[in-house]
Amino acid sequence: MKVKTILVSQPEPKENSPYFDLAEKQKVKIDFRSFIHVEGVSVKEVRAEKVDLNEYTAVVLTSRNAVDHFFRIAEELRFTVSAEMKYFCQSEAVAVYLQKYVVYRKRKIYVGLRTFPELGKLIKKHKTENFLLPSSDKLMGLVPSTLDELGVKWTRLDLYKTVMSDLSSLKDVIYDVLVFFSPSGIDSLFKNFPDFQQKNTRIAVFGNTTVKAATEAGLKIDISAPTPEAPSMTMALERYIKKANKSK
């Protein structure tokens, strides 16, 4: 069956997205809708954790959300972040985003290549620090296990949580392809539409954990990434569309 419409379960990207190029090149309609969103934990809940921010000499930042909510809570607690605070950022993108809150050249910032174990190599060189990990309620097990293996002193503090979005406006809308990037997105689909039946809808998933969640939910996976042939979701979609829409 041909592909004419695609729904990507993420916010609409800014200009120069490969999705826009894909839509134009393959003559398909691509819509965007967040199936999940992030909500900050209240300062009251944080106080209940009895965590004293003064005790920490380093912050481990795994995402832009972690950056935003660390500084949000600091402000709400009227805590002045020390100029001596060390920041360990999982990727260059997180480190660049940190500049929204600190003067980059005047702070001690350490940047990993991309994965958390890679950042762990930098953390290991600073084992005397007391690390704070601003986190979400959906923290990957790899993060705490890596920190434990390093033998460093660290504390997890959940500052934001992943919440399923209201998708009721999509009730009567049918897409040829649904694209998912996390198990939470799969959960949101079935929470919003408990009676969802895949029928002719193709399912595209990114990452092993999303593959597992989709399979366990009884979905048939038609498109997956990353693969050696298609390291990105847009490349995987394009390969599939070319084959499905090929004139016979």
mmCIF file of all heavy atoms in Angstrom, residues 152-191:
data_model
loop_
_atom_site.group_PDB
_atom_site.id
_atom_site.type_symbol
_atom_site.label_atom_id
_atom_site.label_comp_id
_atom_site.label_asym_id
_atom_site.label_seq_id
_atom_site.Cartn_x
_atom_site.Cartn_y
_atom_site.Cartn_z
ATOM 1 N N VAL A 152 31.492 6.894 42.364
ATOM 2 C CA VAL A 152 31.468 8.297 42.770
ATOM 3 C C VAL A 152 30.294 8.545 43.725
ATOM 4 O O VAL A 152 29.346 7.765 43.792
ATOM 5 C CB VAL A 152 31.354 9.247 41.551
ATOM 6 C CG1 VAL A 152 32.568 9.090 40.659
ATOM 7 C CG2 VAL A 152 30.065 8.976 40.767
ATOM 8 N N LYS A 153 30.361 9.652 44.439
ATOM 9 C CA LYS A 153 29.280 10.047 45.327
ATOM 10 C C LYS A 153 28.269 10.835 44.496
ATOM 11 O O LYS A 153 28.606 11.879 43.932
ATOM 12 C CB LYS A 153 29.824 10.908 46.467
ATOM 13 C CG LYS A 153 28.781 11.258 47.518
ATOM 14 C CD LYS A 153 29.408 12.052 48.656
ATOM 15 C CE LYS A 153 28.359 12.401 49.720
ATOM 16 N NZ LYS A 153 28.960 13.209 50.816
ATOM 17 N N TRP A 154 27.050 10.348 44.415
ATOM 18 C CA TRP A 154 26.071 11.019 43.576
ATOM 19 C C TRP A 154 24.658 10.866 44.137
ATOM 20 O O TRP A 154 24.375 9.930 44.886
ATOM 21 C CB TRP A 154 26.112 10.496 42.142
ATOM 22 C CG TRP A 154 25.605 9.090 41.967
ATOM 23 C CD1 TRP A 154 26.257 7.924 42.254
ATOM 24 C CD2 TRP A 154 24.310 8.703 41.486
ATOM 25 N NE1 TRP A 154 25.471 6.835 41.978
ATOM 26 C CE2 TRP A 154 24.266 7.284 41.502
ATOM 27 C CE3 TRP A 154 23.201 9.412 41.034
ATOM 28 C CZ2 TRP A 154 23.142 6.567 41.083
ATOM 29 C CZ3 TRP A 154 22.071 8.698 40.618
ATOM 30 C CH2 TRP A 154 22.062 7.291 40.648
ATOM 31 N N THR A 155 23.791 11.793 43.754
ATOM 32 C CA THR A 155 22.401 11.787 44.204
ATOM 33 C C THR A 155 21.491 12.096 43.028
ATOM 34 O O THR A 155 21.740 13.023 42.266
ATOM 35 C CB THR A 155 22.165 12.852 45.297
ATOM 36 O OG1 THR A 155 23.024 12.583 46.401
ATOM 37 C CG2 THR A 155 20.720 12.839 45.769
ATOM 38 N N ARG A 156 20.449 11.299 42.891
ATOM 39 C CA ARG A 156 19.449 11.548 41.860
ATOM 40 C C ARG A 156 18.350 12.439 42.430
ATOM 41 O O ARG A 156 17.881 12.214 43.557
ATOM 42 C CB ARG A 156 18.847 10.225 41.383
ATOM 43 C CG ARG A 156 17.640 10.384 40.464
ATOM 44 C CD ARG A 156 17.099 9.026 40.057
ATOM 45 N NE ARG A 156 15.865 9.154 39.293
ATOM 46 C CZ ARG A 156 15.201 8.120 38.758
ATOM 47 N NH1 ARG A 156 15.684 6.899 38.905
ATOM 48 N NH2 ARG A 156 14.084 8.310 38.085
ATOM 49 N N LEU A 157 17.933 13.432 41.680
ATOM 50 C CA LEU A 157 16.850 14.307 42.095
ATOM 51 C C LEU A 157 15.896 14.484 40.926
ATOM 52 O O LEU A 157 16.225 15.137 39.934
ATOM 53 C CB LEU A 157 17.397 15.665 42.548
ATOM 54 C CG LEU A 157 16.361 16.681 43.058
ATOM 55 C CD1 LEU A 157 15.620 16.118 44.278
ATOM 56 C CD2 LEU A 157 17.024 18.002 43.406
ATOM 57 N N ASP A 158 14.719 13.868 41.017
ATOM 58 C CA ASP A 158 13.731 13.981 39.937
ATOM 59 C C ASP A 158 13.132 15.381 39.941
ATOM 60 O O ASP A 158 12.471 15.780 40.911
ATOM 61 C CB ASP A 158 12.625 12.943 40.125
ATOM 62 C CG ASP A 158 13.088 11.536 39.777
ATOM 63 O OD1 ASP A 158 14.243 11.394 39.356
ATOM 64 O OD2 ASP A 158 12.293 10.588 39.948
ATOM 65 N N LEU A 159 13.354 16.116 38.857
ATOM 66 C CA LEU A 159 12.872 17.494 38.757
ATOM 67 C C LEU A 159 11.791 17.671 37.693
ATOM 68 O O LEU A 159 11.176 18.720 37.606
ATOM 69 C CB LEU A 159 14.046 18.434 38.448
ATOM 70 C CG LEU A 159 15.143 18.509 39.518
ATOM 71 C CD1 LEU A 159 16.206 19.520 39.114
ATOM 72 C CD2 LEU A 159 14.553 18.873 40.872
ATOM 73 N N TYR A 160 11.582 16.646 36.874
ATOM 74 C CA TYR A 160 10.543 16.730 35.844
ATOM 75 C C TYR A 160 10.044 15.338 35.517
ATOM 76 O O TYR A 160 10.701 14.339 35.828
ATOM 77 C CB TYR A 160 11.054 17.438 34.585
ATOM 78 C CG TYR A 160 12.312 16.844 33.974
ATOM 79 C CD1 TYR A 160 12.257 16.029 32.852
ATOM 80 C CD2 TYR A 160 13.564 17.117 34.521
ATOM 81 C CE1 TYR A 160 13.394 15.505 32.285
ATOM 82 C CE2 TYR A 160 14.720 16.598 33.963
ATOM 83 C CZ TYR A 160 14.627 15.792 32.843
ATOM 84 O OH TYR A 160 15.780 15.267 32.284
ATOM 85 N N LYS A 161 8.882 15.263 34.942
ATOM 86 C CA LYS A 161 8.284 13.961 34.642
ATOM 87 C C LYS A 161 7.661 13.955 33.252
ATOM 88 O O LYS A 161 7.255 14.993 32.727
ATOM 89 C CB LYS A 161 7.232 13.607 35.694
ATOM 90 C CG LYS A 161 6.169 14.668 35.894
ATOM 91 C CD LYS A 161 5.305 14.351 37.109
ATOM 92 C CE LYS A 161 4.305 15.482 37.375
ATOM 93 N NZ LYS A 161 3.496 15.220 38.571
ATOM 94 N N THR A 162 7.626 12.775 32.685
ATOM 95 C CA THR A 162 7.050 12.595 31.361
ATOM 96 C C THR A 162 5.556 12.319 31.495
ATOM 97 O O THR A 162 5.144 11.403 32.211
ATOM 98 C CB THR A 162 7.728 11.430 30.624
ATOM 99 O OG1 THR A 162 9.132 11.684 30.546
ATOM 100 C CG2 THR A 162 7.157 11.267 29.233
ATOM 101 N N VAL A 163 4.746 13.126 30.808
ATOM 102 C CA VAL A 163 3.295 13.018 30.906
ATOM 103 C C VAL A 163 2.716 12.742 29.524
ATOM 104 O O VAL A 163 3.189 13.284 28.522
ATOM 105 C CB VAL A 163 2.699 14.328 31.463
ATOM 106 C CG1 VAL A 163 1.185 14.241 31.547
ATOM 107 C CG2 VAL A 163 3.301 14.634 32.831
ATOM 108 N N MET A 164 1.725 11.883 29.471
ATOM 109 C CA MET A 164 1.083 11.569 28.196
ATOM 110 C C MET A 164 0.183 12.722 27.762
ATOM 111 O O MET A 164 -0.602 13.239 28.543
ATOM 112 C CB MET A 164 0.273 10.276 28.324
ATOM 113 C CG MET A 164 1.150 9.075 28.622
ATOM 114 S SD MET A 164 0.216 7.556 28.826
ATOM 115 C CE MET A 164 1.516 6.478 29.468
ATOM 116 N N SER A 165 0.288 13.111 26.510
ATOM 117 C CA SER A 165 -0.493 14.223 25.987
ATOM 118 C C SER A 165 -1.915 13.797 25.637
ATOM 119 O O SER A 165 -2.183 12.613 25.388
ATOM 120 C CB SER A 165 0.189 14.798 24.731
ATOM 121 O OG SER A 165 1.499 15.222 25.026
ATOM 122 N N ASP A 166 -2.814 14.759 25.612
ATOM 123 C CA ASP A 166 -4.193 14.508 25.200
ATOM 124 C C ASP A 166 -4.251 14.504 23.673
ATOM 125 O O ASP A 166 -4.003 15.520 23.023
ATOM 126 C CB ASP A 166 -5.094 15.607 25.765
ATOM 127 C CG ASP A 166 -6.559 15.424 25.357
ATOM 128 O OD1 ASP A 166 -6.882 14.398 24.717
ATOM 129 O OD2 ASP A 166 -7.369 16.314 25.665
ATOM 130 N N LEU A 167 -4.587 13.356 23.108
ATOM 131 C CA LEU A 167 -4.613 13.207 21.650
ATOM 132 C C LEU A 167 -6.031 13.034 21.115
ATOM 133 O O LEU A 167 -6.229 12.555 19.993
ATOM 134 C CB LEU A 167 -3.767 11.990 21.235
ATOM 135 C CG LEU A 167 -2.319 11.962 21.729
ATOM 136 C CD1 LEU A 167 -1.655 10.645 21.329
ATOM 137 C CD2 LEU A 167 -1.540 13.144 21.177
ATOM 138 N N SER A 168 -7.013 13.439 21.912
ATOM 139 C CA SER A 168 -8.410 13.203 21.536
ATOM 140 C C SER A 168 -8.791 13.831 20.191
ATOM 141 O O SER A 168 -9.667 13.332 19.487
ATOM 142 C CB SER A 168 -9.357 13.733 22.628
ATOM 143 O OG SER A 168 -9.115 15.110 22.887
ATOM 144 N N SER A 169 -8.099 14.904 19.807
ATOM 145 C CA SER A 169 -8.414 15.560 18.530
ATOM 146 C C SER A 169 -8.014 14.702 17.330
ATOM 147 O O SER A 169 -8.401 14.978 16.193
ATOM 148 C CB SER A 169 -7.722 16.919 18.439
ATOM 149 O OG SER A 169 -6.312 16.777 18.498
ATOM 150 N N LEU A 170 -7.242 13.634 17.584
ATOM 151 C CA LEU A 170 -6.812 12.749 16.494
ATOM 152 C C LEU A 170 -7.726 11.526 16.350
ATOM 153 O O LEU A 170 -7.463 10.650 15.532
ATOM 154 C CB LEU A 170 -5.373 12.258 16.737
ATOM 155 C CG LEU A 170 -4.271 13.315 16.733
ATOM 156 C CD1 LEU A 170 -2.935 12.664 17.097
ATOM 157 C CD2 LEU A 170 -4.172 14.000 15.384
ATOM 158 N N LYS A 171 -8.782 11.491 17.140
ATOM 159 C CA LYS A 171 -9.640 10.305 17.203
ATOM 160 C C LYS A 171 -10.110 9.814 15.847
ATOM 161 O O LYS A 171 -10.105 8.616 15.563
ATOM 162 C CB LYS A 171 -10.844 10.595 18.104
ATOM 163 C CG LYS A 171 -11.771 9.405 18.281
ATOM 164 C CD LYS A 171 -12.914 9.740 19.218
ATOM 165 C CE LYS A 171 -13.844 8.533 19.386
ATOM 166 N NZ LYS A 171 -14.990 8.838 20.288
ATOM 167 N N ASP A 172 -10.510 10.722 15.002
ATOM 168 C CA ASP A 172 -11.072 10.330 13.706
ATOM 169 C C ASP A 172 -10.107 10.558 12.545
ATOM 170 O O ASP A 172 -10.518 10.610 11.382
ATOM 171 C CB ASP A 172 -12.372 11.102 13.457
ATOM 172 C CG ASP A 172 -13.420 10.807 14.523
ATOM 173 O OD1 ASP A 172 -13.569 9.622 14.876
ATOM 174 O OD2 ASP A 172 -14.062 11.758 14.997
ATOM 175 N N VAL A 173 -8.835 10.712 12.862
ATOM 176 C CA VAL A 173 -7.827 10.948 11.823
ATOM 177 C C VAL A 173 -6.999 9.677 11.624
ATOM 178 O O VAL A 173 -6.518 9.083 12.592
ATOM 179 C CB VAL A 173 -6.897 12.116 12.215
ATOM 180 C CG1 VAL A 173 -5.898 12.383 11.103
ATOM 181 C CG2 VAL A 173 -7.714 13.367 12.517
ATOM 182 N N ILE A 174 -6.853 9.289 10.386
ATOM 183 C CA ILE A 174 -6.092 8.070 10.082
ATOM 184 C C ILE A 174 -4.867 8.425 9.248
ATOM 185 O O ILE A 174 -4.956 9.151 8.258
ATOM 186 C CB ILE A 174 -6.966 7.054 9.318
ATOM 187 C CG1 ILE A 174 -8.153 6.616 10.189
ATOM 188 C CG2 ILE A 174 -6.139 5.830 8.910
ATOM 189 C CD1 ILE A 174 -9.138 5.713 9.470
ATOM 190 N N TYR A 175 -3.721 7.903 9.666
ATOM 191 C CA TYR A 175 -2.462 8.112 8.941
ATOM 192 C C TYR A 175 -1.953 6.780 8.398
ATOM 193 O O TYR A 175 -2.180 5.727 9.002
ATOM 194 C CB TYR A 175 -1.405 8.726 9.855
ATOM 195 C CG TYR A 175 -1.663 10.178 10.204
ATOM 196 C CD1 TYR A 175 -2.421 10.517 11.320
ATOM 197 C CD2 TYR A 175 -1.155 11.205 9.411
ATOM 198 C CE1 TYR A 175 -2.675 11.845 11.641
ATOM 199 C CE2 TYR A 175 -1.394 12.543 9.731
ATOM 200 C CZ TYR A 175 -2.154 12.855 10.842
ATOM 201 O OH TYR A 175 -2.388 14.161 11.149
ATOM 202 N N ASP A 176 -1.227 6.871 7.299
ATOM 203 C CA ASP A 176 -0.642 5.660 6.727
ATOM 204 C C ASP A 176 0.513 5.152 7.577
ATOM 205 O O ASP A 176 0.738 3.942 7.668
ATOM 206 C CB ASP A 176 -0.137 5.937 5.302
ATOM 207 C CG ASP A 176 -1.266 6.293 4.349
ATOM 208 O OD1 ASP A 176 -2.366 5.712 4.497
ATOM 209 O OD2 ASP A 176 -1.062 7.152 3.472
ATOM 210 N N VAL A 177 1.253 6.085 8.200
ATOM 211 C CA VAL A 177 2.410 5.711 9.031
ATOM 212 C C VAL A 177 2.398 6.507 10.330
ATOM 213 O O VAL A 177 2.187 7.727 10.325
ATOM 214 C CB VAL A 177 3.747 5.987 8.290
ATOM 215 C CG1 VAL A 177 4.936 5.605 9.181
ATOM 216 C CG2 VAL A 177 3.812 5.224 6.976
ATOM 217 N N LEU A 178 2.617 5.820 11.448
ATOM 218 C CA LEU A 178 2.820 6.459 12.743
ATOM 219 C C LEU A 178 4.274 6.239 13.150
ATOM 220 O O LEU A 178 4.774 5.113 13.078
ATOM 221 C CB LEU A 178 1.904 5.858 13.813
ATOM 222 C CG LEU A 178 0.392 5.992 13.600
ATOM 223 C CD1 LEU A 178 -0.358 5.328 14.758
ATOM 224 C CD2 LEU A 178 -0.008 7.464 13.485
ATOM 225 N N VAL A 179 4.935 7.310 13.575
ATOM 226 C CA VAL A 179 6.368 7.240 13.899
ATOM 227 C C VAL A 179 6.580 7.457 15.392
ATOM 228 O O VAL A 179 6.131 8.478 15.950
ATOM 229 C CB VAL A 179 7.161 8.301 13.104
ATOM 230 C CG1 VAL A 179 8.654 8.152 13.371
ATOM 231 C CG2 VAL A 179 6.864 8.186 11.615
ATOM 232 N N PHE A 180 7.291 6.522 16.035
ATOM 233 C CA PHE A 180 7.530 6.583 17.484
ATOM 234 C C PHE A 180 9.017 6.576 17.805
ATOM 235 O O PHE A 180 9.811 5.926 17.120
ATOM 236 C CB PHE A 180 6.866 5.396 18.182
ATOM 237 C CG PHE A 180 5.373 5.387 18.068
ATOM 238 C CD1 PHE A 180 4.748 4.644 17.061
ATOM 239 C CD2 PHE A 180 4.585 6.112 18.936
ATOM 240 C CE1 PHE A 180 3.367 4.633 16.942
ATOM 241 C CE2 PHE A 180 3.199 6.114 18.821
ATOM 242 C CZ PHE A 180 2.597 5.375 17.825
ATOM 243 N N PHE A 181 9.361 7.284 18.891
ATOM 244 C CA PHE A 181 10.759 7.387 19.293
ATOM 245 C C PHE A 181 11.016 6.916 20.724
ATOM 246 O O PHE A 181 12.163 6.924 21.181
ATOM 247 C CB PHE A 181 11.242 8.842 19.159
ATOM 248 C CG PHE A 181 11.256 9.319 17.735
ATOM 249 C CD1 PHE A 181 10.122 9.861 17.158
ATOM 250 C CD2 PHE A 181 12.405 9.203 16.966
ATOM 251 C CE1 PHE A 181 10.123 10.288 15.837
ATOM 252 C CE2 PHE A 181 12.424 9.626 15.643
ATOM 253 C CZ PHE A 181 11.283 10.170 15.078
ATOM 254 N N SER A 182 9.976 6.534 21.438
ATOM 255 C CA SER A 182 10.167 6.093 22.816
ATOM 256 C C SER A 182 9.038 5.171 23.246
ATOM 257 O O SER A 182 7.925 5.231 22.696
ATOM 258 C CB SER A 182 10.212 7.296 23.760
ATOM 259 O OG SER A 182 8.922 7.882 23.863
ATOM 260 N N PRO A 183 9.282 4.332 24.257
ATOM 261 C CA PRO A 183 8.212 3.501 24.806
ATOM 262 C C PRO A 183 7.053 4.337 25.337
ATOM 263 O O PRO A 183 5.899 3.926 25.270
ATOM 264 C CB PRO A 183 8.912 2.742 25.939
ATOM 265 C CG PRO A 183 10.342 2.668 25.507
ATOM 266 C CD PRO A 183 10.598 3.994 24.838
ATOM 267 N N SER A 184 7.366 5.529 25.847
ATOM 268 C CA SER A 184 6.308 6.411 26.373
ATOM 269 C C SER A 184 5.335 6.825 25.281
ATOM 270 O O SER A 184 4.141 7.004 25.529
ATOM 271 C CB SER A 184 6.925 7.658 27.007
ATOM 272 O OG SER A 184 7.733 7.317 28.112
ATOM 273 N N GLY A 185 5.842 6.985 24.061
ATOM 274 C CA GLY A 185 4.979 7.325 22.945
ATOM 275 C C GLY A 185 4.001 6.206 22.637
ATOM 276 O O GLY A 185 2.818 6.448 22.347
ATOM 277 N N ILE A 186 4.485 4.966 22.721
ATOM 278 C CA ILE A 186 3.620 3.798 22.516
ATOM 279 C C ILE A 186 2.557 3.742 23.612
ATOM 280 O O ILE A 186 1.374 3.509 23.357
ATOM 281 C CB ILE A 186 4.451 2.500 22.527
ATOM 282 C CG1 ILE A 186 5.535 2.526 21.443
ATOM 283 C CG2 ILE A 186 3.540 1.278 22.367
ATOM 284 C CD1 ILE A 186 5.046 2.465 20.032
ATOM 285 N N ASP A 187 2.986 3.969 24.855
ATOM 286 C CA ASP A 187 2.043 3.970 25.982
ATOM 287 C C ASP A 187 0.957 5.021 25.785
ATOM 288 O O ASP A 187 -0.219 4.783 26.064
ATOM 289 C CB ASP A 187 2.788 4.251 27.297
ATOM 290 C CG ASP A 187 3.708 3.113 27.701
ATOM 291 O OD1 ASP A 187 3.526 1.996 27.179
ATOM 292 O OD2 ASP A 187 4.602 3.351 28.533
ATOM 293 N N SER A 188 1.365 6.203 25.301
ATOM 294 C CA SER A 188 0.413 7.291 25.098
ATOM 295 C C SER A 188 -0.629 6.932 24.041
ATOM 296 O O SER A 188 -1.812 7.262 24.180
ATOM 297 C CB SER A 188 1.158 8.563 24.691
ATOM 298 O OG SER A 188 0.259 9.638 24.506
ATOM 299 N N LEU A 189 -0.189 6.250 22.994
ATOM 300 C CA LEU A 189 -1.111 5.832 21.937
ATOM 301 C C LEU A 189 -2.245 5.004 22.518
ATOM 302 O O LEU A 189 -3.433 5.264 22.244
ATOM 303 C CB LEU A 189 -0.361 5.023 20.872
ATOM 304 C CG LEU A 189 -1.238 4.347 19.803
ATOM 305 C CD1 LEU A 189 -1.874 5.393 18.893
ATOM 306 C CD2 LEU A 189 -0.409 3.351 18.981
ATOM 307 N N PHE A 190 -1.891 4.021 23.337
ATOM 308 C CA PHE A 190 -2.913 3.108 23.856
ATOM 309 C C PHE A 190 -3.685 3.686 25.038
ATOM 310 O O PHE A 190 -4.812 3.269 25.290
ATOM 311 C CB PHE A 190 -2.278 1.759 24.215
ATOM 312 C CG PHE A 190 -1.963 0.930 23.013
ATOM 313 C CD1 PHE A 190 -0.684 0.906 22.468
ATOM 314 C CD2 PHE A 190 -2.963 0.193 22.383
ATOM 315 C CE1 PHE A 190 -0.404 0.156 21.336
ATOM 316 C CE2 PHE A 190 -2.688 -0.566 21.251
ATOM 317 C CZ PHE A 190 -1.403 -0.576 20.721
ATOM 318 N N LYS A 191 -3.089 4.641 25.748
ATOM 319 C CA LYS A 191 -3.851 5.301 26.808
ATOM 320 C C LYS A 191 -4.911 6.207 26.194
ATOM 321 O O LYS A 191 -6.047 6.278 26.678
ATOM 322 C CB LYS A 191 -2.943 6.118 27.710
ATOM 323 C CG LYS A 191 -3.720 6.812 28.821
ATOM 324 C CD LYS A 191 -2.857 7.364 29.913
ATOM 325 C CE LYS A 191 -3.733 7.958 31.010
ATOM 326 N NZ LYS A 191 -2.947 8.508 32.132
#
